[in-house]
Amino acid sequence: MGFPKDFLWGGATAANQYEGGYLSGGKGLAVADVISGGTKTQVRKILIELADGTKKWIPRWEEIPTDAKPVIDENTYYPSHQAVDFYHHYKEDIRLMGEMGFKVFRMSINWSRIFPNGDDVCPNEEGLQFYEAVFAECKKYQIEPLVTINHFDLPLNIALKYGGWYSRKTINMFLDYCKTIFERYQHQVKYWLTFNEINFLRDYSTLGITEASDYNKQQQSIFHVLLASAKAVQLGHQINPEFKIGAMIANILFYPQSCNPEDVLEEMKVSREFKDFYYDIQCRGSYPNYKLKEFKRNHFKLEKLPGDEEELQNGTVDFISISYYNSAVIAKQKGDAEKSSGNQLGGIKNPYLEESEWGWPIDPIGLRIVLNRLYDKYRLPLMIVENGLGAIDKIKNGTIDDDYRIDYLRRHILQMKEAIEYDGVELWGYTPWGCIDLVSAGTGEMDKRYGFVYVDKDNSGKGTLSRTKKKSFDWYKQVIASNGESL
Ligand code: P53
């Protein structure tokens, strides 16, 4: 009993936080490449050049005026440029994954490495060869690649020239990219995810739209992304019917603060807005009524073409994958409740849970609840493709004793086991986030580490990039070897 025999144990990464080589091998610039580093307290910024030639720094989520363009400042550190240089370390890293016994390795393809400008007529052969070599390396260790087609990553040219996902043209550029990689890698890759955290695309770096505050533009852009995903699912299945193509949604679990029906109703609304409506479209193939009603109330009319609804309907996913880090508390009236410092949605502190150094509540039982709710509702196989503890690691006498990380992972794996064994949930695999230390997406820093392997690099970009096994490396190795029995 316990975990199924063929359970996919592994780890997860994303190109813009891991790969580096930002201009190597013919790669073009991505939006991620113009976002500066940051820290817990210092927000990541973009330097823009205005029409009159003057330059100014703006926070990454701020609107970029239509006549301005992002530029790179020579004296500023940009984490994506080198990241932790998987580009030159892939053999070493995959060997380490092989040593841990990984069955699966989640990674993303850098769109601008394949189509440097997004709208190129031909793909960049050197870029295609890079991933071919990576997949061949995985095969040496019988590691199955799980590829995210788009992980917070957009060729800069698509943002500048077309206005990102607000333009319907971006759908076609995306499908050209999908066709190229599906055809090229159809014998090397079986598991695909279309968009990372599709419910978390809301600014220039992900959607490529500059008026992030405009409701209509946001909704239209999200529709284009969802449509692109549905079309990609169909295209993938045409190219290779064996492909398993999944949705990927950030699954923060929301709790009502009290049994006051007002709080429960508010939690329902937040859950729908933040995640449920994306699941519904990707798993059931159409917009739920509550979303259509919301459009009406906002006097918004989605611009659609004939056939779009069928495309959504025919492009439902084969499985659901999620990121799960924490839960959050929702109340109708926030009042004087104690705030949870780092909770992404500015939530209320949950008195029953501890928090990470970045203020993310730690909630293993929440994971079991999430898995059950999803399986009840959609009856699709599930995968947890991100989970883990971002923490500061200290090297003492050449070793890193990350017992806090082991403890976090152990408690989550135990709840996965309950969900499988006791509740009968169908769970395919588990890929903890940042298996080799990488750059944080939220803060752009190195100090927030998730890995089993330590990478020597600091927040300002300095370091040898050497890899060192942490205590959790051997621990995870025996978790995999015992198929989740020895924790
Ligand atoms: P970092 C926010 C909340 C939950 C998940 O996050 C998030 C984010 C964005 O920061 O993103 C996912 O690095 C994402 C990864 C990211 C990871 O969570 O801010 O898919 O790219 O690195 C962890 O600690």
Side-chain angles (χ1 to χ4, degrees):
M1 274 292 281
F3 290 92
K5 257 202 337 278
D6 52 358
F7 190 77
L8 295 168
W9 297 97
T13 63
N16 80 82
Q17 294 163 257
Y18 184 45
E19 195 176 276
Y22 84 117
L23 290 177
S24 306
K27 184 185 165 298
L29 277 183
V31 175
D33 299 327
V34 300
I35 305 175
S36 78
T39 61
K40 215 192 244 184
T41 50
Q42 230 176 15
V43 301
R44 306 185 66 182
K45 288 182 283 195
I46 301 180
L47 181 65
I48 55 168
E49 190 178 299
L50 303 164
D52 64 6
T54 54
K55 291 181 185 164
K56 91 173 191 204
W57 286 97
I58 58 167
R60 66 191 278 200
W61 54 78
E62 207 165 273
E63 271 184 32
I64 297 179
T66 28
D67 55 354
K69 63 170 198 287
V71 286
I72 290 181
D73 176 34
E74 293 306 322
N75 300 315
T76 295
Y77 164 60
Y78 291 90
S80 73
H81 292 192
Q82 185 192 43
V84 293
D85 201 24
F86 175 67
Y87 194 70
H88 294 106
H89 289 75
Y90 71 94
K91 288 192 177 164
E92 180 183 357
D93 286 0
I94 296 169
R95 183 171 51 70
L96 287 163
M97 294 173 200
E99 198 181 324
M100 276 186 276
F102 277 24
K103 315 283 181 216
V104 64
F105 167 39
R106 177 177 177 227
M107 51 169 281
S108 76
I109 293 183
N110 218 319
W111 186 350
S112 57
R113 194 175 289 294
I114 308 300
F115 286 95
N117 303 294
D119 58 1
D120 314 72
V121 180
C122 293
N124 170 33
E125 178 57 29
E126 217 178 324
L128 285 166
Q129 282 173 11
F130 170 65
Y131 296 106
E132 208 158 55
V134 168
F135 300 143
E137 207 61 27
C138 289
K139 201 169 162 76
K140 275 194 198 165
Y141 304 93
Q142 283 106 45
I143 297 173
E144 193 80 58
L146 164 62
V147 173
T148 317
I149 300 171
N150 190 252
H151 192 129
F152 297 167
D153 182 14
L154 184 70
L156 184 60
N157 183 53
I158 296 186
L160 293 177
K161 191 163 150 195
Y162 300 90
W165 281 102
Y166 186 50
S167 164
R168 219 185 139 104
K169 291 191 180 127
T170 301
I171 301 178
N172 294 334
M173 291 184 271
F174 179 74
L175 290 170
D176 283 344
Y177 161 54
C178 289
K179 185 167 186 286
T180 305
I181 59 173
F182 284 155
E183 284 178 347
R184 181 73 169 234
Y185 305 128
Q186 58 171 308
H187 303 298
Q188 291 182 297
V189 179
K190 178 177 165 194
Y191 295 97
W192 302 87
L193 307 175
T194 54
F195 290 87
N196 179 66
E197 295 189 339
I198 199 164
N199 55 331
F200 234 140
L201 311 181
R202 48 190 60 164
D203 64 6
Y204 195 71
S205 65
T206 52
L207 279 184
I209 56 171
T210 53
E211 287 159 46
S213 49
D214 182 322
Y215 177 87
N216 296 7
K217 223 169 168 177
Q218 282 278 331
Q219 296 303 328
Q220 187 66 39
S221 304
I222 289 166
F223 169 65
H224 289 156
V225 173
L226 288 160
L227 188 58
S229 174
K231 287 181 178 222
V233 170
Q234 295 175 67
L235 181 67
H237 287 151
Q238 273 161 27
I239 291 170
N240 185 346
E242 300 289 306
F243 280 175
K244 298 290 177 207
I245 310 175
M248 193 317 195
I249 292 177
N251 203 311
I252 293 174
L253 171 63
F254 299 107
Y255 297 121
Q257 190 191 20
S258 74
C259 50
N260 181 344
E262 295 275 16
D263 284 348
V264 179
L265 184 67
E266 188 63 17
E267 180 277 317
M268 183 186 87
K269 287 183 185 167
V270 170
S271 291
R272 285 178 162 183
E273 169 65 19
F274 180 73
K275 55 185 183 176
D276 292 356
F277 111 83
Y278 297 87
Y279 280 117
D280 261 47
I281 296 168
Q282 294 201 283
C283 302
R284 292 183 167 146
S286 60
Y287 273 66
N289 285 346
Y290 59 78
K291 197 69 188 174
L292 299 175
K293 290 282 188 189
E294 177 192 308
F295 287 168
K296 255 209 169 115
R297 278 193 302 277
N298 285 309
H299 309 289
F300 168 64
K301 204 169 169 305
L302 212 51
E303 276 173 47
K304 287 186 289 198
L305 292 183
D308 283 356
E309 282 176 19
E310 288 72 18
E311 295 279 1
L312 284 185
Q313 196 66 60
N314 296 332
T316 55
V317 292
D318 300 319
F319 68 99
I320 293 173
S321 79
I322 58 165
S323 62
Y324 177 83
Y325 292 92
N326 59 273
S327 54
V329 178
I330 300 296
K332 176 77 179 162
Q333 308 280 337
K334 288 216 177 62
D336 300 328
E338 202 187 335
K339 298 279 185 304
S340 170
S341 55
N343 198 323
Q344 305 93 345
L345 291 157
I348 297 155
K349 202 176 177 82
N350 185 331
Y352 302 99
L353 302 175
E354 305 150 41
E355 292 182 348
S356 79
E357 288 168 273
W358 271 261
W360 294 19
I362 300 174
D363 185 3
I365 294 176
L367 177 59
R368 179 174 175 189
I369 298 171
V370 162
L371 294 173
N372 273 281
R373 289 207 181 140
L374 287 175
Y375 196 63
D376 280 359
K377 196 164 170 190
Y378 300 109
R379 295 227 178 160
L380 285 171
L382 305 171
M383 250 178 129
I384 301 156
V385 297
E386 281 184 37
N387 171 242
L389 181 72
I392 294 174
D393 290 325
K394 293 202 177 71
I395 309 188
K396 269 196 210 122
N397 308 324
T399 62
I400 299 131
D401 286 342
D402 54 344
D403 294 298
Y404 36 90
R405 182 168 295 109
I406 294 175
D407 182 59
Y408 177 102
L409 296 170
R410 177 190 289 127
R411 287 161 64 198
H412 284 80
I413 295 172
L414 279 169
Q415 294 300 323
M416 284 156 47
K417 205 168 163 185
E418 289 291 313
I420 295 172
E421 210 169 75
Y422 191 92
D423 306 322
V425 160
E426 191 182 347
L427 185 65
W428 276 356
Y430 180 57
T431 59
W433 178 246
C435 47
I436 311 262
D437 286 346
L438 41 66
V439 178
S440 157
T443 59
E445 66 198 318
M446 267 314 293
D447 275 353
K448 192 182 187 189
R449 296 170 184 273
Y450 288 86
F452 304 111
V453 174
Y454 185 91
V455 177
D456 179 37
K457 186 166 176 173
D458 66 20
N459 282 353
S460 64
K462 292 189 191 66
T464 63
L465 295 169
S466 71
R467 271 72 170 149
T468 309
K469 294 173 195 172
K470 304 181 194 175
K471 187 173 178 185
S472 55
F473 184 99
D474 288 319
W475 172 80
Y476 195 45
K477 184 177 171 176
Q478 51 102 30
V479 170
I480 299 178
S482 65
N483 202 24
E485 287 307 311
S486 163
L487 290 167

